[in-house]
Amino acid sequence: MMDVLTPVSPALEFHHVTKRFPDAGYNAVDDVSLSIDEGELVTLVGTSGSGKTTLLKMVNRLYEPTAGQIVLRGHDIMAADPVQLRRGIGYVIQQVGLFPHMTVAENIAVVPKLLKWDSARTGARIDELLQLVQLDSAEFARRYPAELSGGQQQRVGLARALAVDPALMLLDEPFGAIDAITRDGLQNELLRIHAAHRRTYLFVTHDIREAFKLGTRVLIMHGGRVQQFATPDEIAAAPANEFVVELLASAGTSVGPSGEASVETSGGMSAGTSVGTSTGDDVRG
Amino acid sequence: MAEAWQQFMAYGERYPHKLVDALLQHLQIVGITLMVSLALAVVLTLLLMDHRRAAELAVSVLGALYSVPSLAAFALLIPLLGIGMDTAIVVLVIYNQFLLVRNFLAGLDAVDPSTVEAAIAMGMTPLQVLLRVRVPLAFPVIMAGVHLAIISTIGIATIAAVINAGGIGVILFDGLRSHKIAKILWGTALSAGLAITANMLMTRIERLAEKRLHFS
Ligand SMILES: Nc1ncnc2c1ncn2[C@@H]1O[C@H](COP(=O)(O)OP(=O)(O)O)[C@@H](O)[C@H]1O
Ligand SMILES: [Mg+2]
């Protein structure tokens, strides 16, 4: 129905993916079906406990789905060797997870080393990445994580995840613990990096403003289910349900990418914004 | 006092080879014990590290064994293994398991879960996660366990002389039996000197490791 939902070349597809943790009386992720195109920056937003992290961790197989199928670039991820799968997926988390016993350069070199890059190539890549995340190589390459500010650590975490230029980046509230001004700068850098390389990003946040600022499409989750999956403009124009309306209201009046979303009236984008099911149909069709 | 000192010096001059032999024998007991202890502790740690319940149970069993007084432990094992150095080493190895396994497990457990998860998510194999992330980060706690085990082994090995294991304890217990103050002093001095030396060495190694691994 909707152009934007027609998978031209799906980078990542979820087919009726459900996750129920052992002993839990509910599904943390509940029958999620959707398709993400190559080069999209999808932001995943929802209240705490809505299943965002669980959904993300199923993609790099830190968790296994209870039911359903996840397809990465045409391949069922369950058929892949998890170790090889993960080396091709960048992963950034709020806790950063930098290795405290390794320097910045060593942290960034972890995956290149796992992939047995030679040291010249790795060294060149480290410089390139530090430049990309705007850290002076001469100043920072030999520092340890404990010698960095929170924002600098997060930049290194980002550089590390980008090291082998993975086709898919998973980011779980990467800027969640960072002050507003630094966060704004990091968001802009992420947009710049994404625009320059056009890899597929799946970015989790609980901040609706961040979701609308960054996302080419925004995936809204609640109670493990997809509430709406559409562009920021579409969501602002036609919230799929009461939950989405409330979420938008909680963020105040300006959640659009250019700050005017709440006054925008784009009548052309009415249908099919309750995406949980409609993308599922697209994917299967 | 002055007399005791004279006897102490005289004994040292007359029987230097006895002292050196005892010391070397002691080092042999300690060395073999540590190698066997470390190998066994590594195996136990690898078996237990991903099984929390079993690990807790094992550590409390090892703790109970550790609390058996050494004289009783030696006596209990004589019917099974006879007297001599081997029996002493078996007892010392069992004692060390508590100090080593408890610290190894505690150290590995204390590594920040999000750091471990990052390592897994980056595509490290379980062995790579262990060797490149968990062991280096647990290193200070691991070394603290080794440190304790060394000091404890040096001390308890002295007691092992009562079952003919040899070592510094032979001189000490001879002295006690025959009321020779010189022997008692030499036994004590060697045992304490060895413990203090080992302690200093281990402290140095720990400092170096901490600097190299950069914890602050
Ligand atoms: N490892 C886990 N074991 C059991 N339950 C979990 C686990 N991780 C998450 N959950 C549960 O799954 C639900 C979704 O959690 P999560 O995906 O972390 O939410 P979000 O990231 O959106 O805050 C929550 O109810 C949470 O308690
Ligand atoms: Mg989360």
Side-chain angles (χ1 to χ4, degrees):
Chain A
M1 283 194 293
M2 285 185 57
D3 286 348
V4 72
L5 296 178
T6 310
V8 186
S9 55
L12 184 62
E13 301 159 78
F14 294 82
H15 300 273
H16 299 288
V17 173
T18 294
K19 175 69 183 181
R20 182 187 288 250
F21 286 102
D23 301 327
Y26 57 94
N27 293 333
V29 168
D30 194 16
D31 194 26
V32 168
S33 291
L34 54 91
S35 167
I36 295 170
D37 290 340
E38 207 74 58
E40 278 199 271
L41 196 174
V42 170
T43 49
L44 176 44
V45 69
T47 47
S48 175
S50 56
K52 308 181 295 293
T53 296
T54 305
L55 189 70
L56 207 67
K57 284 185 175 177
M58 285 191 283
V59 177
N60 59 5
R61 293 186 55 180
L62 292 176
Y63 293 158
E64 295 214 346
T66 311
Q69 192 187 30
I70 299 174
V71 177
L72 177 62
R73 303 183 119 195
H75 301 285
D76 184 342
I77 61 164
M78 294 313 287
D81 169 20
V83 166
Q84 295 304 328
L85 174 82
R86 291 174 188 138
R87 289 177 186 176
I89 300 176
Y91 186 58
V92 190
I93 51 176
Q94 179 176 336
Q95 303 84 339
V96 195
L98 291 179
F99 303 122
H101 58 303
M102 298 182 191
T103 63
V104 166
E106 286 165 348
N107 265 284
I108 296 174
V110 166
V111 181
K113 254 189 202 154
L114 291 174
L115 296 178
K116 305 209 158 45
W117 285 18
D118 64 51
S119 58
R121 184 178 175 200
T122 305
R125 183 64 179 152
I126 290 167
D127 288 339
E128 191 182 351
L129 284 161
L130 284 175
Q131 205 168 9
L132 191 67
V133 298
Q134 304 198 331
L135 288 173
D136 180 27
S137 183
E139 178 75 36
F140 289 98
R142 297 167 68 98
R143 285 209 200 173
Y144 286 88
E147 301 162 343
L148 303 174
S149 73
Q152 288 163 347
Q153 287 184 17
Q154 205 48 266
R155 282 166 205 267
V156 175
L158 191 59
R160 183 175 71 172
L162 289 164
V164 298
D165 197 14
L168 179 65
M169 287 281 284
L170 305 175
L171 306 102
D172 195 350
E173 306 199 22
F175 310 144
I178 288 168
D179 66 88
I181 293 171
T182 311
R183 183 166 61 228
D184 202 54
L186 283 166
Q187 288 168 348
N188 294 335
E189 269 168 50
L190 189 83
L191 282 174
R192 182 173 53 74
I193 292 167
H194 175 257
H197 297 88
R198 284 284 152 192
R199 301 301 181 193
T200 309
Y201 284 45
L202 190 50
F203 184 109
V204 167
T205 176
H206 62 259
D207 176 356
I208 182 83
R209 289 164 176 275
E210 185 170 62
F212 272 59
K213 174 179 174 180
L214 298 179
T216 53
R217 281 196 291 170
V218 178
L219 174 56
I220 298 174
M221 282 183 75
H222 184 61
R225 301 191 72 103
V226 174
Q227 305 298 314
Q228 188 164 11
F229 182 29
T231 66
D233 286 349
E234 287 163 0
I235 292 172
N241 58 32
E242 197 56 34
F243 176 79
V244 177
V245 172
E246 272 174 35
L247 194 71
L248 294 181
S250 73
T253 50
S254 58
V255 288
S258 44
E260 76 283 7
S262 64
V263 293
E264 195 167 70
T265 50
S266 38
M269 300 178 184
S270 50
T273 36
S274 60
V275 178
T277 49
S278 64
T279 38
D281 293 340
D282 286 349
V283 159
R284 270 170 286 138
Chain B
M1 195 62 220
E3 198 188 335
W5 176 250
Q6 265 175 8
Q7 288 174 16
F8 175 79
M9 293 306 288
Y11 188 92
E13 274 160 33
R14 208 171 322 149
Y15 306 108
H17 59 280
K18 276 195 184 177
L19 297 177
V20 172
D21 282 354
L23 187 62
L24 288 178
Q25 209 168 32
H26 206 83
L27 284 173
Q28 190 190 350
I29 299 171
V30 172
I32 295 172
T33 298
L34 283 175
M35 281 194 294
V36 177
S37 299
L38 282 171
L40 184 58
V42 167
V43 171
L44 288 177
T45 303
L46 289 174
L47 290 174
L48 293 168
M49 65 182 195
D50 293 323
H51 307 279
R52 178 167 291 270
R53 293 280 264 307
E56 278 168 15
L57 184 72
V59 169
S60 47
V61 169
L62 292 174
L65 289 173
Y66 185 76
S67 73
V68 176
S70 52
L71 277 173
F74 291 132
L76 284 171
L77 275 180
I78 290 173
L80 289 173
L81 300 169
I83 57 171
M85 193 187 282
D86 294 351
T87 307
I89 289 174
V90 169
V91 170
L92 291 169
V93 167
I94 292 172
Y95 280 144
N96 277 343
Q97 293 316 296
F98 175 62
L99 301 175
L100 294 173
V101 173
R102 188 193 56 168
N103 270 52
F104 289 4
L105 288 171
L108 293 177
D109 260 4
V111 176
D112 184 350
S114 65
T115 308
V116 173
E117 191 175 82
I120 296 168
M122 292 170 79
M124 288 194 192
T125 63
L127 188 65
Q128 286 167 337
V129 174
L130 184 68
L131 295 182
R132 298 188 191 187
V133 178
R134 290 180 77 187
V135 168
L137 291 176
F139 203 70
V141 185
I142 288 173
M143 286 309 284
V146 175
H147 189 154
L148 280 176
I150 291 175
I151 303 302
S152 153
T153 302
I154 291 172
I156 302 174
T158 308
I159 313 291
V162 295
I163 57 162
N164 269 357
I168 297 168
V170 174
I171 297 175
L172 184 70
F173 285 110
D174 269 2
L176 286 170
R177 247 191 312 273
S178 55
H179 301 287
K180 290 253 168 59
I181 189 76
K183 284 188 173 183
I184 296 173
L185 286 177
W186 269 111
T188 311
L190 286 177
S191 185
L194 196 56
I196 290 167
T197 310
N199 192 38
M200 280 180 355
L201 254 167
M202 285 307 293
T203 307
R204 276 291 277 277
I205 292 173
E206 282 168 11
R207 288 240 181 86
L208 275 176
E210 253 171 62
K211 236 187 223 162
R212 225 192 81 67
L213 293 168
H214 209 87
F215 296 97
S216 48

